């Protein structure tokens, strides 16, 4: 039976009235927004990653440069890295009509093809079956979209459509794990069955009170599509599986304040303690085109005080959703409870930008008394500077894992193929591998993200390749037992003579605009061809590019090129990447997790990360290969690698015998 007094003393419930700003247009909540402009299945409201944080996350640019593929026999054979001209006979597919923003959904459209006649690639069951990941969390079927550690179990609640592999009919799915890798599916946690969440049980966050009880705040979309904040709590705090949840009878506990649009008020954070002993949360919003984080204090999670001003605001960043706020240590990699403050602590503010569908963060100083946060460097403020991930990674959130004293980040990874393909395969989207997150104490300006240590338990056979020399314009095959489930750790060294002799240049480089891995420079690109077939008709290069500036300084970029990842024509094939800091004496290093259609890459210990979704038609199953490549014009590269084949995770329905 549910505890009738789950919280601190109650004075009165909040009446559901509000004074919205009179606006002709406004963005909707995490989900509704994803609906309106959705790329895929309209981004899951904030990665569903309401991460109930248990405190409770190429174009032929150089005229088709030819690469030389070195066989083990050293016999040369020319292979082009240029984008293949080969296409399959397509069927004509016209974009589906919108299901309507008022319905909480819109058509899932490939942004590169939207508005034009789209060709549907003839995917077969074998291709589509291969795309399902083996060790990333996914729902059993249909569409999903976040965790908490409680009484020995990690809990993950996520946005889930039990009826179709598209956005809509959103409820809360629920899964548990002992190690963040192997998961058991539990019964649904919450349904959209009240007037205040009739159009969606959206992103939320959990907080554990001093007496061990859990409270969860989540955004609901009312039957009038107004975004409100609601309270829920476990029916039985002694149940380690948290199977049943109760919605507070006085919901909603927060409605949009005056001056805030009814569809611009969403995604409450985990609460933290202030110096006055109150609980504090922030909620994402906007005023005109300025993204903001509203600040609320509460003593009982039912009655709230809106602080004057905002925690932080950045002009021209648009709606802030799935906001996050947490401390990081300036002296080590240990994670901190969300309420920790004081010396040797910095605070991170993160937001998911509704306008561009990317997750940005900044490091700064928190003023507890004023309820304000100030970036260390305004030039890389929230929304205009550093991103968690430069690929497909959205609506992420962190939680403090008190079990292992770490902060864990999870991000939602959408699809970049067509909705038609999703419906055929019966599922869409997944979660990235959970990552530990900490301050990079060497640079002081960015975070380090790294796969949780538990993923290493999936490693099977390992193989080492030491001091492999890759000459300019060469491709070197790496012989493995399989290449669709891998954990790759690699280091690269450029020929020092080439570094010294290469001419300085004032040319600017950008991963996304400089032609991808086919663009040749003096000192790059070089790296790995992942999920490639023998002929290199399909491959996904993950690589470094080093630029030498006018003053002789070296600037390193880390990129992933999807332009040749598939011969299919109804998938997005973008080139991702950014600058990565490389300090004096450091080798270039990368870790890559390959799991069928998802590739997660971490450069320089996780300073820069890129997540890709790729949909090869040939480089699948036993036909998938892995290669080293060097497309630099003036430098030889030496690489050492350790590569493991990866086992599959156990992700299955829960049975009572496992309790």
């Amino acid at each position: 039976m549910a505890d009738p007094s789950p919280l601190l003393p109650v004075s009165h419930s909040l009446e559901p009235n509000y004074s919205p700003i009179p606006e002709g247009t406004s963005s909707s909540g995490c989900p509704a927004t994803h609906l309106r402009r959705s790329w895929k299945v309209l981004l899951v409201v904030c990665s569903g990653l309401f991460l109930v944080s248990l405190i409770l996350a190429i174009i032929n640019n150089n005229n088709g440069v030819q690469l030389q593929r070195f066989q083990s026999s050293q016999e040369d054979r020319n292979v082009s890295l240029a984008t293949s001209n080969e296409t399959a006979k397509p069927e004509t597919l016209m974009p589906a009509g919108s299901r309507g923003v008022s319905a909480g959904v819109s058509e899932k459209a490939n942004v590169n093809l939207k508005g034009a006649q789209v060709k549907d690639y003839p995917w077969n069951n074998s291709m589509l079956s291969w795309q399902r990941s083996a060790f990333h969390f996914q729902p059993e079927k249909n569409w999903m979209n976040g965790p908490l550690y409680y009484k020995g179990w990690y809990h993950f609640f996520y946005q889930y459509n039990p009826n179709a592999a598209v956005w809509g009919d959103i409820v809360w799915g629920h899964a548990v794990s002992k190690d963040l890798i192997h998961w058991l599916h539990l019964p649904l946690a919450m349904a959209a069955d009240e007037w205040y969440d009739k159009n969606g049980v959206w992103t939320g966050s959990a907080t554990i009170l001093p007496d061990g009880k859990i409270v969860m705040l989540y955004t609901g979309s009312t039957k009038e599509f107004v975004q409100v904040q609601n309270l829920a709590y476990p029916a039985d705090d002694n149940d380690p599986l948290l199977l049943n949840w109760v919605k507070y009878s006085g919901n909603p506990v927060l409605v949009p304040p005056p001056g805030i649009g009814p569809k611009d008020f969403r995604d409450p954070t985990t609460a933290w303690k202030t110096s006055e002993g109150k609980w504090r949360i922030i909620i994402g919003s906007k005023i005109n085109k300025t993204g903001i984080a509203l600040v609320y204090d509460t003593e009982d999670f039912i009655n709230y005080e809106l602080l004057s001003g905002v925690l932080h605001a950045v002009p021209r960043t648009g709606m802030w959703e799935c906001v996050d706020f947490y401390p990081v240590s300036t002296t080590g990699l240990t994670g901190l409870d969300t309420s920790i403050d004081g010396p040797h602590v910095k605070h991170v503010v993160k937001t998911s930008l509704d306008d561009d569908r990317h997750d940005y963060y900044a490091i700064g100083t928190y003023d507890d008394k004023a309820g304000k946060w100030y970036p260390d460097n305004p030039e890389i403020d929230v929304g205009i500077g550093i991103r968690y991930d430069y690929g497909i990674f959205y609506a992420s959130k962190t939680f403090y894992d008190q079990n292992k004293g770490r902060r864990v980040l999870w991000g939602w990874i959408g699809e970049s193929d067509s909705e038609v393909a999703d419906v055929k395969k019966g599922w869409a989207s997944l979660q990235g591998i959970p990552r530990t997150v900490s301050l990079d104490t060497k640079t002081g300006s960015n975070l380090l993200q790294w796969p949780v240590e538990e993923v290493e338990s999936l490693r099977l056979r390992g193989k080492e390749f030491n001091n492999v020399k890759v000459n300019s314009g060469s491709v070197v095959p790496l012989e493995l037992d399989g290449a669709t489930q891998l954990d790759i750790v690699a280091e690269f060294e450029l020929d020092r003579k080439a570094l010294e002799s290469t001419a300085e240049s004032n040319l600017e480089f950008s991963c996304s605009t400089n032609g991808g891995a086919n663009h040749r420079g003096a000192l790059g690109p070089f790296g790995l061809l992942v999920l490639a077939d023998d002929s290199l008709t399909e491959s996904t290069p993950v690589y470094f590019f080093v630029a030498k500036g006018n003053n002789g300084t070296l600037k390193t970029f880390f990129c992933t090129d999807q332009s040749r990842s598939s011969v299919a024509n109804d998938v997005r094939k973008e080139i991702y990447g950014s600058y990565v800091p490389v300090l004096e004496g450091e080798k270039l290093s990368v870790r890559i997790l390959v799991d069928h259609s998802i590739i997660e890459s971490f450069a320089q210990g996780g300073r820069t990360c890129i997540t890709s979704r790729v949909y090869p038609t040939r480089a699948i199953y036993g036909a998938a290969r892995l290669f080293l490549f060097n497309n630099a014009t003036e430098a030889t590269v030496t690489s050492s690698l350790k590569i493991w084949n990866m086992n599959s995770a156990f992700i299955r329905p829960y049975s009572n015998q496992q309790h």
Side-chain angles (χ1 to χ4, degrees), residues 454-510:
E454 289 89 338
V455 75
E456 297 173 15
S457 67
L458 297 176
R459 289 174 171 173
L460 298 172
R461 298 168 300 279
K463 194 167 185 179
E464 292 191 40
F465 301 85
N466 295 313
N467 301 315
V468 180
K469 182 177 288 188
V470 190
N471 294 324
S472 173
S474 298
V475 173
V476 177
L478 298 172
E479 299 301 330
L480 301 169
D481 292 336
T484 62
Q485 294 175 211
L486 298 175
D487 188 353
I488 306 166
V489 177
E491 289 185 339
F492 298 89
E493 288 187 272
L494 280 167
D495 176 32
R496 184 157 295 279
K497 289 183 179 179
L499 288 174
E500 295 171 353
S501 63
T502 297
E504 299 173 357
S505 172
N506 60 358
L507 294 179
E508 293 293 325
F509 178 84
S510 167

Side-chain angles (χ1 to χ4, degrees), residues 12 65 74 124 136 172 177 184 199 295 342 366 464 497 500 517 652 655:
H12 64 277
V65 175
Q74 297 300 308
N124 60 43
H136 285 72
W172 269 13
S177 172
L184 300 171
N199 282 300
V295 186
Y366 169 56
E464 292 191 40
K497 289 183 179 179
E500 295 171 353
R652 59 190 185 278
S655 68

Side-chain angles (χ1 to χ4, degrees), residues 20-29 33 36-37 227 256-267 283-296 310 312-323 351-355 357:
I21 184 172
E23 252 182 80
T25 60
S26 60
S27 70
S28 51
T33 306
R36 218 165 36 194
R37 56 175 113 242
Q227 293 170 11
I260 297 299
K263 295 182 180 180
D264 300 329
F265 183 65
R266 56 186 178 270
D267 312 334
I283 296 174
S285 188
K286 70 172 183 175
I287 297 177
N288 298 319
K289 290 298 292 180
T290 297
I292 63 174
L294 300 167
V295 186
Y296 287 88
V310 296
H312 194 57
V314 181
R316 297 180 296 280
T317 55
M319 177 67 197
W320 285 13
E321 54 186 4
C322 304
V323 290
T351 184
S352 300
L353 288 193
D354 185 41
D355 285 355
R357 293 298 186 276

Side-chain angles (χ1 to χ4, degrees), residues 154-218:
Y154 292 98
H155 290 257
F156 181 51
F157 302 90
Y158 55 93
Q159 310 292 312
Y160 177 59
N161 181 353
N163 301 317
V166 297
W167 176 265
D169 303 327
I170 294 301
V171 298
W172 269 13
H174 185 190
V176 294
S177 172
K178 287 288 188 179
D179 60 5
L180 291 171
I181 301 299
H182 305 287
W183 291 90
L184 300 171
H185 291 289
L186 296 179
L188 299 180
M190 267 196 280
D193 55 5
E194 300 289 346
W195 70 266
Y196 50 78
D197 58 17
K198 195 67 176 176
N199 282 300
V201 180
W202 293 353
T203 299
S205 296
T207 302
I208 295 186
L209 304 179
D211 61 3
K213 293 181 178 179
I214 300 173
V215 294
M216 188 178 298
L217 293 172
Y218 72 92

Side-chain angles (χ1 to χ4, degrees), residues 614-633:
V614 297
Y615 308 91
T617 64
R618 302 179 177 192
I620 59 178
Y621 299 108
R625 300 285 184 266
L626 180 69
F627 299 86
L628 285 166
F629 82 96
N630 175 15
N631 213 12
T633 60

Side-chain angles (χ1 to χ4, degrees), residues 205-277:
S205 296
T207 302
I208 295 186
L209 304 179
D211 61 3
K213 293 181 178 179
I214 300 173
V215 294
M216 188 178 298
L217 293 172
Y218 72 92
T219 298
S221 179
T222 73
K223 57 185 179 182
E224 292 86 13
F225 297 95
V226 177
Q227 293 170 11
V228 298
Q229 312 313 315
N230 304 303
L231 175 65
Y233 49 90
D236 181 3
D237 288 300
N238 294 315
D239 176 14
L241 295 181
L242 302 175
L243 289 173
N244 299 300
W245 289 80
V246 176
K247 297 177 182 179
Y248 173 54
S249 61
N251 281 335
V253 295
L254 279 171
V255 297
I260 297 299
K263 295 182 180 180
D264 300 329
F265 183 65
R266 56 186 178 270
D267 312 334
T269 62
T270 291
W272 69 91
K273 276 287 185 125
T274 69
S275 58
E276 296 179 349

Side-chain angles (χ1 to χ4, degrees), residues 33-43 106-112 114 354-358 387 391-394 412 414-419 422 572 574 576:
T33 306
H34 300 171
L35 310 186
R36 218 165 36 194
R37 56 175 113 242
S38 114
W39 292 345
K40 172 102 207 148
V41 28
L42 326 238
L43 284 231
S106 65
E107 73 274 13
K108 171 187 162 185
N110 184 320
V111 294
N112 294 337
K114 188 174 181 180
D354 185 41
D355 285 355
D356 71 5
R357 293 298 186 276
H358 297 309
R387 285 163 49 182
I392 299 178
F393 187 92
Y394 193 68
W412 175 76
E415 305 288 334
S416 59
D417 61 349
S418 70
E419 188 175 83
D422 289 348
R572 286 170 45 220
E574 299 187 35
Y576 301 122

